Amino acid sequence: MLTRGFATNAVGVDGFTGAVGNTPLIYLKGLSQRTGAHIYGKAEFQNPGGSVKDRAALGVVRDAEEKGRLQPGGTVVEGTAGNTGIGLAHVCRARGYKCVIFMPETQSQEKIDLLRMLGAEVHPVPAVAYDNPKNYNHLARDYAEATVNAIWTDQFDNTANASAHYLSTGPEIWAQTRGNIDGFVCSTGTGGSLAGVGKFLKEKSGGKTEVWLADPPGSVLYSYVSSGGKLVERTGSSITEGIGQGRITKNLETIVNELSGALHIPDVKSIAMVYELLDSEGLYIGASSALNVVAAVELAQKLGPGKTVVTLLCDGAYRYQSRLFSKKWLRAKGLEDAIPDHLKKYAVLD
């Protein structure tokens, strides 16, 4: 079994931004035993802002600084479903910038409240398709263009996002598995994590490591990848937040043609995994993380016994607990019966 190594530094890391990354790789014992494989989850919820998006937030801000686009006292604007905004709010506080966030009003109240607590100016707007000029991404862009000394970080199409993962997350996973990794799989919203990590692992392994995309209902990516780019079909909707997509972003574009395949993961499997990991592993994770783990199990079954598969545990359940552990909400979504009877005891909220 792999162990976690800690870097030592007499004076510690340099503030919030110095604490981003170097997260542990957690061995998922029960699922590994069930499949005969070695399944690991990269504990991105242990980043200082609580999610994998801390890496992208820091990456796009640093890129803007290095290119001279962001000046001292400037404003950082982004359209985000939540976690990137939270990461940006933290980074902006640490580096002296104002943070303005546009987000779909469908996102959890916990995320909106936290953004405001971190000093961000938050604009919840109606959730409309990307091709609508009122889409939250376009509104963020327009706000930045109309504001002096402001930048739109453009997380979906700014490839500094994927570069952050190529330079940090990918190398960490390679080192933590000692180069013994047969498959990597994760869901994608912007495409940054999948593209950056996947590209690094494929290059480092000489193509040995398979890279797969995991997709929720309501996204076109599974149909696109599975059909070799011929189909763009969107059916259904998902409880997961911040993942799934209606187009190929510029970040995803950098790897989409090199993917080994895609897996479609329904909500019933994701919600069941939220509860299973809490019960069997003591891991309190969100629905997108649970979807990733379901996909890791399915990929492990495809690759066979003895193989090593890694996925990302994007964030914890704290930002979604009023939904994921609410009996009323689960019932309204038709997901109550997806949870095994012996695990329903964890749905403690009315």
Side-chain angles (χ1 to χ4, degrees):
M1 187 182 300
L2 304 179
T3 57
R4 181 184 183 184
F6 290 87
T8 57
N9 189 314
V11 295
V13 297
D14 183 15
F16 176 92
T17 58
V20 174
N22 293 312
T23 57
L25 195 64
I26 299 176
Y27 180 63
L28 302 179
K29 183 178 180 181
L31 297 174
S32 295
Q33 291 176 339
R34 183 190 307 172
T35 59
H38 308 291
I39 300 175
Y40 294 87
K42 182 89 163 126
E44 291 300 284
F45 57 81
Q46 288 198 9
N47 278 302
S51 87
V52 65
K53 295 297 188 179
D54 287 1
R55 297 182 190 261
L58 180 57
V60 295
V61 168
R62 276 182 172 163
D63 180 70
E65 291 172 338
E66 290 167 2
K67 292 178 178 176
R69 296 176 54 234
L70 184 58
Q71 302 299 321
T75 299
V76 173
V77 188
E78 184 55 277
T80 168
N83 280 334
T84 300
I86 292 167
L88 284 170
H90 277 290
V91 171
C92 286
R93 291 273 48 78
R95 295 170 99 88
Y97 304 119
K98 179 182 177 181
C99 184
V100 178
I101 300 298
F102 287 80
M103 68 191 304
E105 59 189 7
T106 53
Q107 299 306 294
S108 67
Q109 191 61 43
E110 288 96 334
K111 285 183 181 178
I112 296 171
D113 292 342
L114 178 54
L115 280 165
R116 288 174 172 154
M117 290 173 195
L118 291 170
E121 180 182 314
V122 184
H123 299 270
V125 298
V128 296
Y130 184 80
D131 57 7
N132 188 315
K134 296 296 184 182
N135 177 274
Y136 64 101
N137 291 291
H138 305 324
L139 292 175
R141 177 200 61 207
D142 295 345
Y143 183 99
E145 289 178 351
T147 304
V148 176
N149 193 18
I151 63 156
W152 172 45
T153 45
D154 190 14
Q155 61 165 327
F156 290 89
D157 293 315
N158 181 353
T159 55
N161 175 350
S163 293
H165 292 284
Y166 181 88
L167 295 171
S168 67
T169 325
E172 288 172 29
I173 291 172
W174 183 261
Q176 288 168 319
T177 58
R178 302 188 182 95
N180 179 28
I181 174 170
D182 300 289
F184 173 76
V185 60
C186 74
S187 55
T188 182
T190 67
S193 299
L194 182 68
V197 174
K199 209 151 191 65
F200 180 88
L201 294 176
K202 287 183 78 68
E203 288 178 8
K204 198 70 174 176
S205 69
K208 171 181 172 290
T209 302
E210 293 192 14
V211 178
W212 288 65
L213 181 148
D215 214 29
S219 173
V220 305
L221 301 181
Y222 171 76
S223 67
Y224 183 91
V225 174
S226 299
S227 68
K230 297 175 183 177
L231 296 177
V232 182
E233 296 178 344
R234 182 196 291 269
T235 58
S237 61
S238 176
I239 62 165
T240 55
E241 298 183 19
I243 59 173
Q245 189 54 262
R247 66 188 180 95
I248 305 302
T249 66
K250 283 189 169 61
N251 280 291
L252 183 57
E253 199 175 74
T254 63
I255 198 173
V256 69
N257 294 325
E258 301 173 47
L259 295 175
S260 299
L263 300 167
H264 176 76
I265 310 298
D267 284 349
V268 290
K269 290 186 177 182
S270 297
I271 198 71
M273 187 60 77
V274 167
Y275 282 72
E276 180 176 347
L277 287 175
L278 176 59
D279 185 69
S280 64
E281 304 282 356
L283 291 172
Y284 190 61
I285 61 171
S288 59
S289 299
L291 181 149
N292 283 350
V293 174
V294 173
V297 170
E298 293 190 5
L299 180 56
Q301 291 169 333
K302 285 179 177 292
L303 297 181
K307 301 297 185 179
T308 296
V309 175
V310 175
T311 191
L312 302 181
L313 305 181
C314 314
D315 63 5
Y318 302 98
R319 293 168 184 171
Y320 321 95
Q321 61 189 20
S322 65
R323 298 180 179 187
L324 296 180
F325 296 91
S326 162
K327 291 188 283 287
K328 181 179 179 181
W329 184 84
L330 290 166
R331 202 172 299 124
K333 295 296 182 181
L335 293 172
E336 190 174 33
D337 291 338
I339 303 167
D341 288 340
H342 71 287
L343 300 180
K344 289 181 179 177
K345 60 186 178 183
Y346 294 111
V348 298
L349 303 178
D350 291 327

